[in-house]
Amino acid sequence: MASYTLNAEPPVGFEKRQFDNLQLIEVLNLSIVSIAFSNNILPKFKKLVLNKLKINIPNVGGSNFSDTKGIRLIALQQDQIFAVYEKKSNNPINEIKSILGDEFYYSDQSDSWSITNISGNNTINALERICPLNLAIDSFKVNDAHRTSMEHISIIILRINKNEFLLFSPRSTSNSFFHTLINSAEYIS
């Protein structure tokens, strides 16, 4: 038996960066489980989510947060939803299966994404330099979620408050994306 230990490393490792009315935090405590289902099982999925999580499944481009279970569902396409919640163990698929059952297809995406929380009064100013979406609050509402591209990097952007977003970037491009965020934050500071 080998006598070495593997230690988990954060995707970027910056923890927190503060700028003029802008803060970036590397979010390390979330599990992400992709849940896929066929159209014929969708009614059962909707019913389970309502009964177990006490929320409706979100429309594509949206998210809903379950206060009872602390799980946010993000709908980015018709037959797939991300369940995002505070990490409880190293087996998030079993955690979600214990709530929703075995009839759906699950994939642990937790280590595939790097998540950055961006917040503060200068959030929109920093993001509008790199994000092609209209982030005005009347166009991109709280709980809206979309796939987009920022500086040629595929991103999922989720608005959780007026001036606060979660940005999901593929782990493989997380350092490049962080560099993009830093450049934008420094430019507006």
Side-chain angles (χ1 to χ4, degrees):
M1 172 80 63
S3 62
Y4 59 86
T5 305
L6 297 176
N7 295 315
E9 292 283 329
V12 180
F14 72 90
E15 292 184 24
K16 184 177 181 181
R17 292 286 300 266
Q18 188 73 41
F19 300 89
D20 183 33
N21 291 313
L22 180 69
Q23 179 174 277
L24 300 173
I25 299 173
E26 186 174 22
V27 180
L28 302 172
N29 64 336
L30 294 180
S31 290
I32 305 168
V33 175
S34 173
I35 307 167
F37 42 85
S38 60
N39 280 338
N40 60 332
I41 296 181
L42 180 59
K44 182 173 186 171
F45 182 71
K46 286 181 177 180
K47 188 175 181 179
L48 272 169
V49 167
L50 186 59
N51 289 338
K52 302 285 185 166
L53 301 179
K54 308 298 184 217
I55 58 173
N56 290 310
I57 66 167
N59 292 324
V60 172
S63 73
N64 287 332
F65 184 76
S66 168
D67 290 322
T68 59
K69 297 288 185 178
I71 297 172
R72 180 178 297 274
L73 298 182
I74 304 171
L76 299 168
Q77 59 194 53
Q78 289 290 50
D79 55 359
Q80 183 182 32
I81 287 185
F82 277 6
V84 180
Y85 60 95
E86 192 170 322
K87 186 175 184 161
K88 295 175 178 65
S89 76
N90 288 326
N91 200 337
I93 289 176
N94 285 347
E95 293 166 2
I96 295 297
K97 273 186 178 180
S98 72
I99 298 169
L100 298 177
D102 292 331
E103 291 189 57
F104 313 107
Y105 303 100
Y106 299 97
S107 173
D108 181 5
Q109 298 288 309
S110 306
D111 290 333
S112 300
W113 297 92
S114 172
I115 305 171
T116 302
N117 177 296
I118 182 170
S119 63
N121 290 333
N122 274 334
T123 297
I124 301 300
N125 295 335
L127 287 176
E128 71 185 0
R129 297 188 70 250
I130 58 175
C131 181
L133 299 176
N134 179 356
L135 299 177
I137 191 70
D138 57 334
S139 295
F140 196 101
K141 297 174 178 43
V142 172
N143 293 322
D144 279 2
H146 295 286
R147 288 184 188 270
T148 189
S149 177
M150 295 186 196
E151 297 293 314
H152 308 289
I153 298 171
S154 177
I155 301 296
I156 296 171
I157 181 170
L158 166 67
R159 183 176 232 146
I160 54 177
N161 281 311
K162 181 181 177 185
N163 289 315
E164 184 176 9
F165 295 81
L166 289 181
L167 306 172
F168 298 72
S169 65
R171 190 178 180 111
S172 60
T173 58
S174 59
N175 283 307
S176 297
F177 182 61
F178 179 66
H179 180 72
T180 296
L181 286 175
I182 293 295
N183 284 344
S184 188
E186 287 174 345
Y187 183 82
I188 59 130
S189 291

